[in-house]
Amino acid sequence: MFGKVRLISLLCVFSIIVSILIFSTFNPNSQSNFRKELVRNQHNQISITQEPSSSQFKDADEVFPEQRNGVHDSVILPDFEILVMVSPHHNQYSSLDFDDSIYCVFQSNSTSPAKFTGVLPSSRNKFFKCSIPNNLRDLKSIHPPILSTSPEDYYLSSDESLKEKVFSWNSSMCYDSFSTEEDVILFVKGANKNHLAINRSPSELKCLFSNGVNTVITSVTSSSQEVFRCLHPSETEIHGLGDEKIRVALQLNDSVVPSVAYYRPLARNLIHPEKKQLCASTMVHNVSKFLREWVIYHSRLGIDKFVFYDNGSEDGLQDVVNKLRGDYNIDIEVIFWPWPKTQEAGFSHSAIRSRESCTWMMYTDVDEFVFSPKWVNSLEPSSGMLKSLLPINISTLPSQKMGQVMIFCYEFGPSDQKVHPVEGVTQGYTCRSRKLNRHKSIVLLDAIDTSLFNVIHHFELKDGYQSKKVISRDAVVNHYKYQAWSEFQAKFKRRVSAYVADWTDPVNPMSKDRTPGLGFEPVEPKDWGERFCEVQDMGLKMLAQKWFGLVSSEGHIMVWQDA
C-alpha cells in the first residue's frame, strides 16, 4: 500500500518538475525565445514578433501601444501600392511627419519607404503610400504593414493562418463620408453597378454607425453611382457611441460593405465665408506644369475661387498653389482625395461641400480653356467675361429656372509638338478637329439633384430647373486633349473617371473615350504629331498673347512662364 502511495508521489513530483522545465522553456521572458503578440481590429489582423533578448529591440507595446487594439487601416491600390491610414486617435499620429524617414514593414520583414500623401478631411487620418515589395506581390494575401522609422527593430510573421487581410481597392468598400445639416453622405465603391447605370433601391440598404462595440442603424434615402445619403443618428445615439472614432458602413440586405470611412457630425454654428459667385473645381493628378496657365487665365476671366481635388499628386502641387496664392492673391483650396478612378464621386463631394461657399461651379479639366470669339477685340481680360455666360437672374417661374450652362468642346491634336510647350498649351497646340464634341458645364450648386448624379462634367438637376446649351459663337471650350506623345502617355495611363477604362485595358474599343485609331499598346504611332488636325485655330493663342504676353530680355514669354 505504502509502496503504491510512494510511487504515485514520486510520479507527481516528477510531473511537477517536468511542468516547470516546460514552462521555463517557453517562458515569454526567456532571452532565448521570441515574444509574439497578436494585434487585431475590426477588419485586420497582424502578427508582430519581437526578440526582447537584445536591448536595442523595442517592445511593440512600448512603441505602438494602441496597436494592441488595432492596426492602421490599409488599402491595396492598383500598381502594387498600399495606402496606410493613421488615425488621429493613434499614438503614432503626432510623431509621424512627412519629413521623417518612415518605412512600411510588411510580413517576413520586407520593407519599402512610406511617402506622406495627405490628410483626409473627413477622418483627419494621415495617409502614407508604400510600394508592395517584389517578393510579396505573388502572395494571395498581404497583411497590414506597420509604420516605423526603425524597420530593423521589428519582425512581422508571414503566418498565412491570419484570415483578415487589408482592404483591396478592387473590391467593394466604403471609402469616405461627408456630413451635411440634413444627412450623411457615404461614398461606396462597388455597391451600385456604375457601368450599367444600375442603382440599388434605398429600401435595400441601411447605414451602420459603429464604435466597435455598439452600432446604430439609420435609413438610406438616396442611392446613385457611388453616393449614398443616410440619416444622421440621433444625438442620444451619438452620445451612446461615445468619443471613440465612429466607423460608418453600408449594409446591403444581410451583408456589410467593408469600410475605411468615419463619421464626423457637422459642427454647430459654423460661420461660412461670403459666397463667391463663380468657382471652378477639378480633379488633379501630377498636372503642376499645366496649373499656372490654367489658373491665371481663368482667374482673370472671372473665377473667384479654385477647388482642386488632389488625386495623389507627386509633382509639387502644393508649392505651385502656394506661389499662385502669394504672387497673384488667388483663392485656391486643395482637398486631399486619394481614391483612384472616382472623378464622379469627387465632383459630387465638391458640389455638396462647396454649396455654402460658392453659388456657381465650373467643372472643367486643367487642359480645357473657355474661350469666346466675342472676346478677341478686348484689350485685356475682365472678371465679368465668364460670368456673362450665366443667366442674368434665376427666374422664379419653374419653366424658366436656369440651373446649368453647357459649353461644347473643340478637341485639339498634338500639332507637331514633341514635348510640352514651355509657353503653355494655348500657345503650342493650334490644330484641332472640325466638329464640336461633348460639353462641359457651369452649374448652380443649389439646383443639383439630391442624388448628386453627374457624368462627363455635368449634373442632373432638381425638378423645375433646366440646362442651357451655349452656341459656339458665344463660347467654346478648347480641349487640349491629344498632346505631345510623352504627355499623352502620362495622361491616359491613368484615367480618373469611374466610367472610363485606362487606355491599355482591352475593353470598350468603340467607346468615345477611346483615342481614335489607337490600340491598347503604349506605342507611339508614326503620324501621331499630325493626327486630329483638320482646322488651324489660332484664336485663343493670339488672344492669350495679347492679354498675357510679356517682353523680357529673353524675348517674348507668357506671364505663367515667370515662375
Side-chain angles (χ1 to χ4, degrees), residues 342-385:
T342 55
Q343 184 180 63
E344 290 77 16
F347 284 174
S348 296
H349 189 279
S350 162
I352 197 69
R353 187 181 184 277
S354 299
R355 192 174 54 177
E356 301 299 329
S357 57
C358 301
T359 301
W360 292 84
M361 185 71 80
M362 182 177 81
Y363 288 95
T364 64
D365 295 328
V366 296
D367 58 356
E368 297 169 335
F369 290 69
V370 181
F371 167 69
S372 172
K374 294 182 177 180
W375 300 340
V376 296
N377 294 322
S378 299
L379 295 178
E380 59 184 20
S382 76
S383 60
M385 286 179 165

Side-chain angles (χ1 to χ4, degrees), residues 155-219:
Y155 181 81
L156 302 192
S157 169
S158 57
D159 183 2
E160 288 300 323
S161 66
L162 297 176
K163 296 180 180 179
E164 302 292 345
K165 310 299 187 292
V166 298
F167 301 94
S168 172
W169 188 251
N170 291 329
S171 304
S172 299
M173 66 178 295
C174 309
Y175 56 89
D176 213 339
S177 72
F178 182 81
S179 292
T180 73
E181 291 184 3
E182 300 84 18
D183 57 10
V184 182
I185 300 174
L186 185 59
F187 297 89
V188 184
K189 178 180 180 290
N192 287 329
K193 298 179 180 179
N194 290 340
H195 61 292
L196 298 176
I198 298 176
N199 296 317
R200 293 179 181 270
S201 168
S203 62
E204 301 177 42
L205 311 169
K206 296 291 183 184
C207 276
L208 308 183
F209 300 80
S210 176
N211 62 3
V213 178
N214 300 314
T215 300
V216 173
I217 301 176
T218 70
S219 298

Side-chain angles (χ1 to χ4, degrees), residues 95-102 114-118 126-128:
S95 63
L96 292 176
D97 200 356
F98 61 89
D99 290 329
D100 294 336
S101 296
I102 304 170
K115 297 179 181 178
F116 173 78
T117 56
K126 286 183 178 178
F127 276 57
F128 294 83

Side-chain angles (χ1 to χ4, degrees), residues 220-460:
V220 175
T221 60
S222 175
S223 163
S224 178
Q225 297 176 300
E226 295 186 358
V227 178
F228 299 81
R229 304 191 76 145
C230 318
L231 297 180
H232 281 286
S234 68
E235 290 188 9
T236 302
E237 291 169 331
I238 293 175
H239 181 74
L241 292 175
D243 296 329
E244 297 297 320
K245 290 194 70 175
I246 301 171
R247 197 184 296 259
V248 56
L250 188 71
Q251 179 175 315
L252 310 176
N253 298 320
D254 295 328
S255 62
V256 178
V257 179
S259 177
V260 294
Y262 290 88
Y263 171 64
R264 282 179 60 197
L266 188 68
R268 295 183 178 276
N269 303 318
L270 287 176
I271 299 176
H272 298 289
E274 182 180 355
K275 261 192 178 184
K276 308 290 186 181
Q277 183 183 1
L278 179 58
C279 304
S281 182
T282 192
M283 190 165 291
V284 296
H285 173 74
N286 290 347
V287 295
S288 292
K289 70 171 71 173
F290 308 103
L291 210 58
R292 284 177 58 85
E293 180 181 13
W294 191 79
V295 169
I296 292 172
Y297 176 86
H298 287 101
S299 67
R300 295 292 300 276
L301 269 63
I303 296 296
D304 301 314
K305 179 181 180 180
F306 296 86
V307 184
F308 294 135
Y309 276 65
D310 178 13
N311 198 213
S313 297
E314 298 176 338
D315 63 343
L317 171 67
Q318 196 60 53
D319 292 338
V320 176
V321 167
N322 290 341
K323 191 164 181 60
L324 284 166
R325 288 170 177 161
D327 292 350
Y328 297 94
N329 194 30
I330 298 174
D331 190 350
I332 304 175
E333 184 178 18
V334 179
I335 308 298
F336 179 58
W337 186 264
W339 319 113
K341 295 186 74 65
T342 55
Q343 184 180 63
E344 290 77 16
F347 284 174
S348 296
H349 189 279
S350 162
I352 197 69
R353 187 181 184 277
S354 299
R355 192 174 54 177
E356 301 299 329
S357 57
C358 301
T359 301
W360 292 84
M361 185 71 80
M362 182 177 81
Y363 288 95
T364 64
D365 295 328
V366 296
D367 58 356
E368 297 169 335
F369 290 69
V370 181
F371 167 69
S372 172
K374 294 182 177 180
W375 300 340
V376 296
N377 294 322
S378 299
L379 295 178
E380 59 184 20
S382 76
S383 60
M385 286 179 165
L386 286 174
K387 295 181 177 75
S388 69
L389 302 175
L390 305 178
I392 297 175
N393 56 63
I394 302 171
S395 174
T396 56
L397 298 176
S399 61
Q400 298 178 4
K401 293 171 74 173
M402 197 65 63
Q404 187 164 226
V405 175
M406 296 180 172
I407 310 172
F408 287 96
C409 300
Y410 280 128
E411 294 182 348
F412 282 70
S415 308
D416 277 327
Q417 295 291 335
K418 305 301 180 185
V419 295
H420 172 66
V422 294
E423 303 89 352
V425 296
T426 60
Q427 303 303 296
Y429 301 108
T430 57
C431 201
R432 62 168 172 82
S433 299
R434 188 178 305 278
K435 70 174 184 177
L436 288 165
N437 213 307
R438 289 170 169 171
H439 49 259
K440 302 303 168 79
S441 70
I442 305 175
V443 63
L444 179 68
L445 294 182
D446 284 341
I448 293 175
D449 186 73
T450 55
S451 68
L452 303 177
F453 178 87
N454 67 93
V455 176
I456 317 170
H457 298 72
H458 65 273
F459 284 80
E460 183 174 325

